Amino acid sequence: MLADVPPNVVQVGWIEDPSEMLASIEVLLSTTPTEGMPNVVLQALASGTKVVGFANAGMSEVSRRYSSGNKYVRLAKTGSVDELCGLLVEALEDDSEVVADVPSMEEVADEWKTILLGDTASRMGFRNNAE
């Protein structure tokens, strides 16, 4: 945990099932400048929570695939704190509900299976041991 944290910031640490907490907040702010697949962002969208973050690879992919016209995911240029803060205010003032089409865990697993065991994987010599 960080030292000298302002009193209006709560550090909750590890949470086994964050869905209830994510559903209770207005906006999830993701401040990481780099991200692969931001699972907490997918969980937030699935819980009906808007997301603000930097336009890194993972966040951009989530926005492109699961956010209707960037209405639920707002992205600032990576490193632009002023833009990030402006988007946070915008998201807090937006009263629209989040209805993001976030995939289930099974759909994500199937998509990875297709990627890992599809034509490209076959050409590389990988095979599905289950077959």
Side-chain angles (χ1 to χ4, degrees), residues 57-114:
M59 292 290 286
S60 295
E61 180 68 11
V62 167
S63 178
R64 184 182 67 77
R65 295 186 66 164
Y66 307 120
S67 180
S68 175
N70 293 327
K71 184 176 183 180
Y72 311 125
V73 179
R74 291 172 171 86
L75 300 178
K77 179 181 176 187
T78 299
S80 177
V81 175
D82 289 340
E83 184 181 3
L84 187 73
C85 291
L87 292 173
L88 177 59
V89 170
E90 182 183 296
L92 288 168
E93 292 174 347
D94 181 0
D95 291 335
S96 62
E97 260 186 64
V98 174
V99 186
D101 187 19
V102 178
S104 68
M105 290 302 290
E106 292 79 15
E107 291 169 321
V108 171
D110 286 345
E111 192 166 335
W112 273 110
K113 184 177 179 181
T114 300

